């Protein structure tokens, strides 16, 4: 966890007042917004869900006893917020087009948020590998935090990330700078 | 610093049949911090296959990290974050969430639990959970011991009526905010 974020978390958990919540908000809200956007939510929906998540953080933080578990706890809230939204709306949300197939008549415009190459790489991976790589690189979680957030052993996370990188290396052969 | 085995890990073999001299965890650790594993570093000097794999993994990592930085930068600007924060603080200040007294919260939980296991069992279950959650000097529930009370009640409901009932109690209990003190 980055130092600024870590400090904001510790300060807020020790005294969950509005001022400290605002500091925490500024430290983690961009990450949460990115999480929703990368998973296909449009900007407006991502903002609403981010607000919902951070309200839940404000209200439930006193039930969190171990600050070390903040990030896995946060990512479970984020995931649940999206699932609840899907249940509420009763349909699948518009997802980002990450298929590499050429554009057909019904093909959606790719999300400008995702670089084309990144989208292509993610589309090549299996869903669990994609999720783990996104948590690792976009959300910058440690391996043990990914394991906590997804409820799988840390060794499984490491193995899948390692394997996913090897698959990407074999398929796309990027050149080291 | 943890001692590293100077020999390659034995018996590592991938599904694609390519021999792999170190475990995934050790590879990842080495990629993040090459200086921390001298044994692996010296192995890289002599093993062309591992060196090739290392270079390709570094290239993948570099590309992923670079793309991720762009994504994070594009996803949200500071103005946008401040606007969401204002809305969030406004939601907190309007106090849309009700603060329950312990008596109100217990009554609500009773109403939830009674149809599941009957009035008598509900009373005894709630009484047992309260007894387990408060120290001998205290008899009243508060915001401080409410989480423990809900955990105990959920556990008992799970053992009597099954996991779904326990989960229901847990979710209902934790959705309520109790007065402190």
């Amino acid at each position: 966890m980055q130092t600024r974020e870590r400090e904001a978390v510790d300060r807020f958990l020790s005294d969950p007042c509005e001022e400290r919540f605002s500091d925490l908000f500024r430290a983690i809200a961009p990450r949460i917004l990115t999480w929703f956007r990368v998973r296909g939510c449009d900007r407006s929906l991502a903002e609403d869900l981010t607000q919902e998540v951070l309200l839940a953080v404000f209200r439930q933080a006193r039930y969190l006893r171990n600050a070390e578990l903040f990030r896995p706890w946060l990512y479970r809230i984020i995931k649940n917020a999206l699932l609840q939204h899907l249940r509420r709306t009763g349909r699948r949300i518009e997802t980002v087009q990450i298929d590499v197939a050429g554009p057909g008549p019904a093909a959606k415009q790719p999300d400008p948020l995702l670089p084309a190459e990144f989208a292509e790489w993610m589309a090549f991976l299996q869903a669990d590998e994609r999720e783990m790589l996104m948590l690792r690189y976009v959300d910058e979680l440690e391996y043990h935090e990914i394991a906590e957030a997804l409820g799988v052993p840390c060794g499984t996370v490491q193995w899948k990330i390692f394997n996913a990188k090897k698959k990407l290396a074999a398929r796309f052969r990027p050149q080291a700078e | 610093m943890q001692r590293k085995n100077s020999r390659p890990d034995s018996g590592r073999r991938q599904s694609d049949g390519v021999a792999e001299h170190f475990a995934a965890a050790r590879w990842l650790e080495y990629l993040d911090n090459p200086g921390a594993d001298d044994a692996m570093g010296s192995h890289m000097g002599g093993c062309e296959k591992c060196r090739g794999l290392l270079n390709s993994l570094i290239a993948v990592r570099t590309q992923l990290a670079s793309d991720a930085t762009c994504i994070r930068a594009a996803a949200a600007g500071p103005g946008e974050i401040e606007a969401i924060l204002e809305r969030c603080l406004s939601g907190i200040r309007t106090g849309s969430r009700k603060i329950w007294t312990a008596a109100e919260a217990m009554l609500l939980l009773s109403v939830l639990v009674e149809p599941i296991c009957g009035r008598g069992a509900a009373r005894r279950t709630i009484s047992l959970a309260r007894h387990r959650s408060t120290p001998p000097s205290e008899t009243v529930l508060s915001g401080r011991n409410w989480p423990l009370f809900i955990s105990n009640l959920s556990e008992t409901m799970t053992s009597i009526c099954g996991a779904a009932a326990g989960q229901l109690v847990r979710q209902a209990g934790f959705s309520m905010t109790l007065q402190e003190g």
Side-chain angles (χ1 to χ4, degrees), chain B residues 30-140:
Chain B
Y30 185 73
L31 277 166
D32 290 340
N33 190 5
D37 192 341
D38 294 338
M40 201 162 166
S42 61
H43 175 82
M44 290 299 156
C47 179
E48 196 176 329
K49 190 183 280 183
C50 284
R51 200 167 52 245
L53 178 57
L54 176 68
N55 288 335
S56 59
L57 290 176
I58 288 173
V60 166
R61 187 195 58 180
T62 306
Q63 186 64 47
L64 285 172
S66 160
D67 286 345
T69 305
C70 296
I71 290 169
R72 282 196 300 275
E80 197 176 358
I81 295 300
E82 288 302 315
I84 307 172
L85 173 60
E86 272 310 306
R87 290 209 303 268
C88 209
L89 288 175
S90 164
I92 291 168
R93 285 174 196 141
T94 52
S96 56
R97 192 175 187 83
K98 180 169 171 49
I99 306 292
W100 302 92
T101 64
E104 287 173 333
M106 296 282 275
L107 185 62
L108 274 173
L109 275 182
S110 300
V111 170
L112 176 72
V113 171
E114 280 178 13
I116 300 173
C117 61
R119 180 173 290 183
R123 277 190 194 158
R124 288 187 191 91
T125 308
I126 290 173
S127 169
L128 173 68
R130 183 164 59 180
H131 183 70
R132 289 173 64 197
S133 313
T134 50
S137 56
E138 286 179 34
T139 53
V140 182

Side-chain angles (χ1 to χ4, degrees), chain A residues 18 25-26 33-34 43 47 51 55 59 62-63 117-118 121 136-138 140 158 162 166 174 176, chain B residues 14 20 25 27-28 32 59 61 63 67-68 72 75-76 80 82 85 87 92-93 97 147 177 180:
Chain A
E18 270 189 32
F25 191 103
R26 291 186 183 101
L33 199 61
T34 305
R43 189 169 284 275
E47 287 182 9
Q51 184 181 338
L55 275 171
R59 287 167 178 158
R62 60 206 168 104
Y63 299 131
E117 189 178 47
F118 184 85
W121 283 24
R136 175 70 181 153
Y137 285 95
V138 182
E140 296 184 301
Q158 289 177 318
F162 178 62
K166 278 205 307 187
Chain B
Q14 272 186 279
E20 192 179 284
W27 269 106
L28 293 176
D32 290 340
R61 187 195 58 180
Q63 186 64 47
D67 286 345
R72 282 196 300 275
E80 197 176 358
E82 288 302 315
L85 173 60
R87 290 209 303 268
I92 291 168
R93 285 174 196 141
R97 192 175 187 83
T177 305
E180 293 292 338

